[in-house]
């Protein structure tokens, strides 16, 4: 529910605004295990590679294939939804309703956009329900359906509010300049995106999960984590360490760094605290410190801002051709007509498929850097940090059924983190100290 589903509702406006607010802050699926007792009683034999027993391997491989197929089908289904809206002239009808209610463009935007958002959201619902059903089938999601529906409704509400504002701004810019709207809108979007990232920990994140200071939920962890921050040469005050309640929705564990500036904080899920050993939590925290110290929030912002620039330009270069070819049949008067929005979203979705692959490649690079940073910053603090790092991912793979051999096309197109196989390989092989080499980040 926290990722914008299948590039639909206000696809790249909200991907680079609402979506980026939620996920530009680098985040990682870290380690997980079934229970606290089982995690602490895992055999301490040396891990050399990520492997699964035959039955778990079969389940994990099937789950990976289902996920890959769902993403591919979901992309084409998303295009079909937008084409259906255009073909049935639904956007033109919504425009007419908005114009009958008020002559003020601002009011029209807040009538037209919610209707379009809800139409796409409802048509998209079968894919969303299928994905959640698969997670429940494999016992990864434990969220009740009423809770899931509530999260879905909150996501729609946020898309309506944020999307309506962005659509109003976009079409105001288009009316001012038919030739440079894409550039002006991009310039306006950047401070809005930064503001969204800043307020997300205060406004958006708490709508979906409960957060409390880590010092009140797991005070014994704070001094251990501060050992890592001191080693990193960067004090992170306990006020910026948070506990998140995830156990009512998933068995998976995670940690993240969200926000920037005064709102930046490191978050550890309650499942992580309950299921992992202290050494494993420290390697998780070291990974998040890597994002913190290496400036991945700013680098991610700049990278995706550049991607958004290219997407808007491509949209500008092609929307005229598309409207000249089919606009009249869809009831679209001109580019500055509200009804042209699904056509623009169709193009951005199409181009966005390639940009997602590029963005995921960039994200995997950042996550790999954070993994290396974790191994370096915990070296000498965690006994055999590489094994603790590898053990956490082995448990994670067994618990949430991660395919040891994912389809390389799936990895390239959709993985925003390195594979578990690669991450465990890094954990058991990365040892510059014994080779007399200099570490990359923590000297």
């Amino acid at each position: 529910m926290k990722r914008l589903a299948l590039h639909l509702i206000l696809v790249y406006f909200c991907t680079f605004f609402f979506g980026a607010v939620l996920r530009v802050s680098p985040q990682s699926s870290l380690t997980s295990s079934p229970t606290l007792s089982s995690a602490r009683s895992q055999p301490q034999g040396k891990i050399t590679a990520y492997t699964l027993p035959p039955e778990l391997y079969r389940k994990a491989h099937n789950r990976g294939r289902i996920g890959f197929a769902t993403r591919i089908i979901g992309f084409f289904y998303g295009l079909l939804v937008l084409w259906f809206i255009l073909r049935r002239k639904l956007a033109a009808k919504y425009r007419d309703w908005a114009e009958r209610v008020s002559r003020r463009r601002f009011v029209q935007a807040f009538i037209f956009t919610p209707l379009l958002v809800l139409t796409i959201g409802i048509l998209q619902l079968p894919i969303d329900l299928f994905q959640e059903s698969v997670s429940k089938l494999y016992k990864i999601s434990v969220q009740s359906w009423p809770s899931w529906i509530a999260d879905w409704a909150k996501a729609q509400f946020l898309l309506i509010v944020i999307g309506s504002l962005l659509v109003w701004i976009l079409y105001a810019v288009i009316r001012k300049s038919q030739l440079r709207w894409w550039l002006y809108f991009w310039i306006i979007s950047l401070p809005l995106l930064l503001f969204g990232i800043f307020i997300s920990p205060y406004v958006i994140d708490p709508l979906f999960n409960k957060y409390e200071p880590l010092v009140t939920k797991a005070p014994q962890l704070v001094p251990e984590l501060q050992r890592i921050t001191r080693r990193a040469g960067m004090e992170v005050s306990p006020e910026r360490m948070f506990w998140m309640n995830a156990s009512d929705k998933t068995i998976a564990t995670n940690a993240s760094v969200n926000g920037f500036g005064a709102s930046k904080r490191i978050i550890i899920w309650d499942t992580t605290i309950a299921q992992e050993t202290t050494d494993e939590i420290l390697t998780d925290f070291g990974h998040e410190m890597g994002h913190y110290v290496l400036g991945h929030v700013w680098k991610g912002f700049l990278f995706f801002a550049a991607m958004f620039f290219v997407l808007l330009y491509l949209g500008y270069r092609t929307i005229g051709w598309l409207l000249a070819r089919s606009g009249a049949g869809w009831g679209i008067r001109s580019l500055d007509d509200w009804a042209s929005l699904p056509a623009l979203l169709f193009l951005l979705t199409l181009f966005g498929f390639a940009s997602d692959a590029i963005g995921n490649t960039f994200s995997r690079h950042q996550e790999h850097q954070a993994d290396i940073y974790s191994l370096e910053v915990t070296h000498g603090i965690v006994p055999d940090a590489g094994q603790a790092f590898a053990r956490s991912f082995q448990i994670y793979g067994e618990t949430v059924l991660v395919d040891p051999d994912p389809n390389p096309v799936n990895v390239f197109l959709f993985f925003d983190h390195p594979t578990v196989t690669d991450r465990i390989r890094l954990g058991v092989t990365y040892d510059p100290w014994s080779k007399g080499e200099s570490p990359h980040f923590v000297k």
Side-chain angles (χ1 to χ4, degrees):
M1 289 303 299
K2 291 183 181 177
R3 293 182 63 101
L4 294 182
L6 304 173
H7 318 294
L8 284 180
I9 309 167
L10 302 176
V11 182
Y12 274 93
F13 306 140
C14 289
T15 296
F16 288 88
F17 294 96
F18 173 58
V21 162
L22 293 179
R23 288 294 174 259
V24 159
S25 300
Q27 203 162 156
S28 56
S29 297
L30 291 171
T31 57
S32 178
S33 57
T35 64
L36 176 60
S37 59
S38 64
R40 295 183 181 274
S41 63
Q42 286 289 323
Q44 297 301 305
K46 195 173 183 66
I47 295 175
T48 58
Y50 175 46
T51 59
L52 292 176
E55 182 61 20
L56 285 185
Y57 178 88
R58 182 185 65 81
K59 291 181 179 180
H61 189 61
N62 286 340
R63 178 175 174 259
R65 292 170 63 188
I66 292 171
F68 183 35
T70 302
R71 291 184 182 101
I72 295 294
I73 293 171
F75 166 72
F76 288 105
Y77 180 76
L79 292 175
L80 179 63
V81 165
L82 292 169
W83 177 85
F84 174 80
I85 290 171
L86 290 166
R87 181 71 175 176
R88 301 297 296 178
K89 300 182 181 180
L90 295 181
K93 293 177 182 177
Y94 298 158
R95 173 207 61 210
D96 293 342
W97 294 349
E99 290 178 345
R100 281 198 293 267
V101 171
S102 175
R103 297 181 63 182
R104 298 183 60 185
R105 298 283 293 180
F106 183 80
V107 176
Q108 291 174 7
F110 277 80
I111 294 172
F112 172 82
T113 307
L115 291 171
L116 181 62
V117 165
L118 290 175
T119 299
I120 297 176
I122 291 171
L123 292 174
Q124 171 67 24
L125 198 54
I127 295 288
D128 294 338
L129 290 170
F130 176 78
Q131 290 177 319
E132 178 65 11
S133 297
V134 170
S135 292
K136 291 184 183 302
L137 176 66
Y138 285 99
K139 304 186 186 306
I140 296 167
S141 172
V142 295
Q143 185 177 16
S144 67
W145 280 113
S147 173
W148 186 90
I149 292 171
D151 280 353
W152 182 87
K154 285 183 280 189
Q156 303 308 302
F157 173 76
L158 286 171
L159 286 167
I160 286 171
V161 173
I162 299 173
S164 296
L165 177 62
L166 293 174
V167 169
W168 173 67
I169 294 172
L170 171 66
Y171 279 85
V173 172
I174 290 176
R175 287 168 68 88
K176 290 291 184 182
S177 176
Q178 294 272 327
L179 295 178
R180 296 286 183 268
W181 62 265
W182 59 277
L183 176 61
Y184 299 148
F185 181 70
W186 178 79
I187 294 172
I188 294 171
S189 75
L190 299 185
L192 294 177
L193 175 55
L194 281 175
F195 177 72
I197 298 172
F198 179 81
I199 68 169
S200 177
Y202 301 126
V203 178
I204 296 178
D205 295 347
L207 292 176
F208 297 94
N209 296 99
K210 180 181 178 181
Y211 295 84
E212 293 188 30
L214 187 62
V215 70
T216 65
K217 302 300 292 188
Q220 74 284 358
L221 271 180
V222 173
E224 295 296 322
L225 297 178
Q226 287 181 317
R227 295 176 64 197
I228 304 297
T229 65
R230 284 192 292 269
R231 174 72 183 281
M234 184 174 185
E235 285 292 335
V236 178
S237 67
E239 289 75 19
R240 293 198 179 198
M241 300 178 187
F242 285 83
W243 167 97
M244 191 191 89
N245 180 26
S247 55
D248 59 345
K249 297 182 180 181
T250 181
I251 65 170
T253 64
N254 202 352
S256 65
V257 53
N258 292 354
F260 76 93
S263 72
K264 186 182 288 184
R265 71 266 317 271
I266 290 174
I267 298 163
I268 300 179
W269 291 12
D270 66 329
T271 47
T272 305
I273 296 170
Q275 299 173 13
E276 293 189 0
T277 66
T278 299
D279 287 349
E280 291 164 0
I281 293 175
L282 290 180
T283 61
D284 298 345
F285 184 72
H287 175 96
E288 299 311 321
M289 279 298 301
H291 288 312
Y292 210 112
V293 173
L294 299 176
H296 284 170
V297 172
W298 283 105
K299 292 176 182 177
F301 168 77
L302 293 174
F303 179 85
F304 287 104
M307 294 290 292
F308 189 37
F309 177 89
V310 174
L311 282 173
L312 284 175
Y313 179 71
L314 291 174
Y316 157 73
R317 295 291 297 179
T318 54
I319 187 63
W321 167 82
L322 183 61
L323 294 183
R325 182 178 185 276
S326 304
W330 294 336
I332 301 172
R333 301 166 187 160
S334 61
L335 176 59
D336 62 0
D337 181 0
W338 301 116
S340 69
L341 181 58
L344 183 58
L345 292 178
F346 184 95
L347 292 172
L348 294 178
T349 301
L350 197 61
F351 297 133
F353 189 78
S355 74
D356 271 0
I358 298 171
N360 285 333
T361 300
F362 176 78
S363 176
R364 289 194 301 272
H365 171 69
Q366 286 197 323
E367 296 298 334
H368 178 67
Q369 285 187 325
D371 284 345
I372 292 175
Y373 189 92
S374 173
L375 291 167
E376 292 181 356
V377 80
T378 55
H379 178 72
I381 295 177
V382 173
D384 202 344
Q387 277 297 298
F389 181 91
R391 187 165 56 248
S392 66
F393 280 107
Q394 177 66 41
I395 296 171
Y396 171 76
E398 292 176 359
T399 303
V400 299
L401 300 174
V402 177
D403 188 358
D405 303 303
N407 186 319
V409 177
N410 188 12
V411 174
F412 174 72
L413 291 178
F414 301 116
F415 277 40
D416 56 4
H417 288 68
T419 66
V420 168
T421 299
D422 288 341
R423 300 179 91 170
I424 289 181
R425 183 183 299 117
L426 175 69
V428 301
T429 60
Y430 187 75
D431 186 15
W433 305 277
S434 68
K435 303 173 185 177
E437 299 174 353
S438 177
H440 285 84
F441 304 115
V442 184
K443 305 302 181 181

